[in-house]
């Protein structure tokens, strides 16, 4: 098979890149390891920055999003039993969108197939040659090759993109957090109109939502925690304890539809480009979920990549391609800092260091009492504008 851009991975990064390229008349083939059903059901996060929504609007991918999303203009930080609202929109003029990642993936797949975009499901790539822009993959029981001018490795943290770059050509930056998140999806009406981030002596908790009938909640647990040790009632008891407050707030519970434990890590590989291979999204960087940045960062990467590829095909100039990694990494490290800072501010540190606890609370009290601090938090949380020319 031959195409202009070979895209490995049909997550938000790969699918949006294919769409942005198609709008510029550039062909691509998307190879996805899993089935369509699997990627459209995979429960992930669901917070979209305004920049992400504006882009989806611009490229005609936001119709259902606008019909079904929840729009937030603030969030709450809960500590010492009291909730403190951060008025995100008042401070930044920008709003948040709650729309599940797998619903966005459904929209992207539907748009891609409706436009006749080549997308092979159950086609795991086994090797990428960055020098020749060739991808070897399995499909229908046969090993095949896709040759292109460029390859986009949008295959996440566990894909082949990241490992196709020789180890001596990249530097990996890693930070593991000494805790994980137990996340649930519950058939219960949200107990608050906005997200609640709780910094509690029993550990972190997050009240989020998907729809007026579906709530999404998270609990800080130990990194080696086992799901079997968390029967539904224990989860609700712990959530009630960590979201308890002094204003009569009641946490609505209900049947738990899905639950899972995810590790929290910060990870970046530099550079994000090697020869004809360009890494975008989780294949190049992972952020802890606390700042809800993973999806939005993947969108920012492919914005830069699509315009760089377009420039190359239209003008032959490779400035954008040559600057791709540096351009993206500036935003990646800003977001890494913000996500690390938010995570360390809100989670109980296992060593129970009393000094660290006092410093966390001092940071939180400053954040909710200083407009300057709240504005800095808000502008990072709602997302910095997407790179120009995207
Ligand atoms: N061959 C083909 N496809 C692959 C391979 C492979 N060898 N390995 C992985 N994939 C697919 C996965 O099945 C997945 O559908 O690549 C896709 C990667 O998608 P994501 O993991 O969603 O990554 P990305 O598109 O970068 O989006 C980042 O996803 O995980 C969340 O929190 C993360 O929100 C962030 C967003
Ligand atoms: C979610 O709704 O899944 C969510 C919200 C905020 C986060 C992380 C996840 O920080």
């Amino acid at each position: 098979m031959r195409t202009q851009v070979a895209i490995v991975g049909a997550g938000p990064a790969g699918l949006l890149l294919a769409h942005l390229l198609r709008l510029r008349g550039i062909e691509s083939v998307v190879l996805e390891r899993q089935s369509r059903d699997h990627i459209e059901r995979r429960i992930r996060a669901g917070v979209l920055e305004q920049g992400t929504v504006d882009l989806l609007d611009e490229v005609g991918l936001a119709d259902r999003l606008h019909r079904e999303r929840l729009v937030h203009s603030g969030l709450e930080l809960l500590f010492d039993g009291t909730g403190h609202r951060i008025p995100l929109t008042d401070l930044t003029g920008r709003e948040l969108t709650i729309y599940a990642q797998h619903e966005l993936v459904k929209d992207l797949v539907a748009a891609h197939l409706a436009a006749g975009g080549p997308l092979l499901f159950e086609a795991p790539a086994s090797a990428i040659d960055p020098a020749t822009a060739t991808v070897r993959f399995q499909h229908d029981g046969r090993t095949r090759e896709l040759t292109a001018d460029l390859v986009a490795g949008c295959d996440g943290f566990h894909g082949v993109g990241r490992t196709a770059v020789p180890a001596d050509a990249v530097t990996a930056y890693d930070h593991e957090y000494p805790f994980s998140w137990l996340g649930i999806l519950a058939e219960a009406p949200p107990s608050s109109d906005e997200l609640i981030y709780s910094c509690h002596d029993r550990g972190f908790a997050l009240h989020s939502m998907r729809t007026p009938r579906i709530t999404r909640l998270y609990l800080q647990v130990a990194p080696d925690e086992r799901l079997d040790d968390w029967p539904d009632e224990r989860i609700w008891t712990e959530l009630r304890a960590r979201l308890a407050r002094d204003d009569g707030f009641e946490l609505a519970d209900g049947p738990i539809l899905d639950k899972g434990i995810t590790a929290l890590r910060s990870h970046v590989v530099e550079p994000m480009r090697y020869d004809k291979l360009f890494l975008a999204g989780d294949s190049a960087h992972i952020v802890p979920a606390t700042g809800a940045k993973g999806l939005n960062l993947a969108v920012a990467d492919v914005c830069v990549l699509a315009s760089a590829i377009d420039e190359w095909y239209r003008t032959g100039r490779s400035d954008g391609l040559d600057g791709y990694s540096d351009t993206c990494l500036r935003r990646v490290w800003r977001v890494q800092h913000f996500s690390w800072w938010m995570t360390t501010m809100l989670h109980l540190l296992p060593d129970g260091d009393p000094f660290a606890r006092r410093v966390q609370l001092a940071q939180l009290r400053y954040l909710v009492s200083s407009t300057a601090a709240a504005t800095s938090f808000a502008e990072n949380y709602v997302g910095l504008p997407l790179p120009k020319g995207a």
Side-chain angles (χ1 to χ4, degrees):
M1 285 170 75
R2 171 135 191 84
T3 188
Q4 290 181 291
V5 182
I7 300 176
V8 183
L15 291 164
L16 183 58
L17 177 62
H19 186 83
L20 296 176
L21 292 176
R22 187 174 49 255
L23 294 179
R24 290 164 163 108
I26 299 165
E27 275 176 27
S28 67
V29 170
V30 182
L31 303 173
E32 168 53 48
R33 174 210 313 255
Q34 305 286 359
S35 67
R36 179 175 182 176
D37 188 55
H38 178 93
I39 68 168
E40 292 188 351
R41 284 169 183 281
R42 190 166 43 196
I43 303 294
R44 291 257 177 89
V47 175
L48 304 185
E49 297 173 351
Q50 174 137 8
T52 297
V53 172
D54 293 348
L55 174 83
L56 294 170
D57 260 329
E58 233 175 83
V59 298
L61 289 171
D63 295 353
R64 189 164 75 98
L65 178 150
H66 281 294
R67 287 198 305 275
E68 298 179 10
R69 70 173 177 164
L70 301 171
V71 177
H72 288 185
S73 59
L75 60 77
E76 218 174 21
L77 298 176
L78 172 63
F79 57 94
D80 286 348
T82 304
H84 305 264
R85 184 169 186 272
I86 305 283
L88 299 171
T89 304
D90 294 349
L91 293 167
T92 64
R94 299 165 79 80
E95 63 191 16
L96 275 187
T97 288
I98 306 294
Y99 187 66
Q101 177 168 325
H102 67 281
E103 298 297 346
L104 178 62
V105 166
K106 266 189 211 159
D107 299 341
L108 293 169
V109 169
H112 192 74
L113 297 179
L119 166 48
L120 297 182
F121 290 107
E122 294 170 63
S126 49
I128 296 174
D129 178 351
T132 60
T134 303
V135 182
R136 190 174 316 117
F137 66 100
Q138 280 62 48
H139 193 242
D140 288 348
R142 287 185 305 141
T143 297
R144 304 178 61 183
E145 272 203 356
L146 170 63
T147 304
D149 302 326
L150 303 170
V151 179
C154 302
D155 49 353
F157 187 75
H158 303 287
V160 291
R162 212 159 52 84
T163 51
V165 182
D168 59 5
V170 284
T171 307
Y173 300 85
D174 274 297
H175 180 77
E176 303 274 340
Y177 296 86
F179 36 75
S180 292
W181 275 13
L182 188 162
I184 66 168
L185 202 64
E187 202 170 334
S191 310
S192 157
D193 295 342
E194 295 179 331
L195 273 56
I196 306 171
Y197 286 88
S198 171
C199 178
H200 194 278
D201 289 346
R202 299 173 66 91
F204 168 82
L206 168 60
H207 166 279
S208 180
M209 60 207 68
R210 289 290 174 269
T211 71
R213 284 182 323 97
I214 303 287
T215 308
R216 179 80 166 137
L217 297 136
Y218 299 94
L219 280 172
Q220 171 185 352
V221 294
D224 57 358
E225 201 75 39
R226 291 167 353 101
L227 211 45
D228 296 349
D229 299 336
W230 284 87
D232 295 3
E233 198 32 52
R234 182 185 175 199
I235 295 174
W236 287 117
T237 305
E238 198 56 39
L239 282 166
R240 273 190 285 275
R242 297 185 194 181
L243 292 166
R245 45 203 291 166
D246 52 15
D247 60 2
F249 168 89
E250 287 280 326
L251 178 68
D253 61 19
I256 294 181
L257 307 172
D258 179 85
K259 57 182 171 184
I261 294 181
T262 43
L264 270 73
R265 70 155 45 108
S266 290
H267 169 82
V268 180
V269 286
E270 293 185 6
M272 291 171 60
R273 181 242 180 131
Y274 182 74
D275 210 335
K276 296 179 177 147
L277 171 60
F278 295 80
L279 302 178
D282 277 16
S283 68
H285 42 72
I286 299 284
V287 284
T290 324
K293 293 288 176 212
L295 169 63
N296 299 289
L297 203 46
V299 168
D301 287 350
V302 296
C303 286
V304 176
L305 187 52
S307 49
I309 292 174
D310 177 50
E311 176 203 33
W312 185 60
Y313 277 116
R314 266 185 312 103
T315 69
R317 279 206 317 273
S318 62
D319 313 33
L321 292 177
D322 300 341
Y324 168 72
S325 183
D326 289 349
T327 303
C328 291
L329 285 169
R330 271 194 293 280
R331 188 186 186 90
V332 167
W333 281 112
R334 169 93 296 288
V335 167
Q336 283 291 354
H337 169 265
F338 176 69
S339 303
W340 162 83
W341 173 75
M342 217 180 145
T343 302
T344 42
M345 175 175 71
L346 291 168
H347 287 73
L348 188 66
L349 303 174
D351 60 8
D353 168 3
F355 174 80
R357 191 79 186 130
R358 281 279 185 282
V359 166
Q360 282 179 317
L361 291 171
Q363 169 72 68
L364 284 163
R365 291 191 186 110
Y366 172 61
L367 184 50
V368 301
S369 58
S370 152
T371 305
T375 305
S376 167
F377 171 86
E379 79 170 354
N380 280 281
Y381 191 92
V382 296
L384 300 165
L386 284 175
K388 280 282 155 292

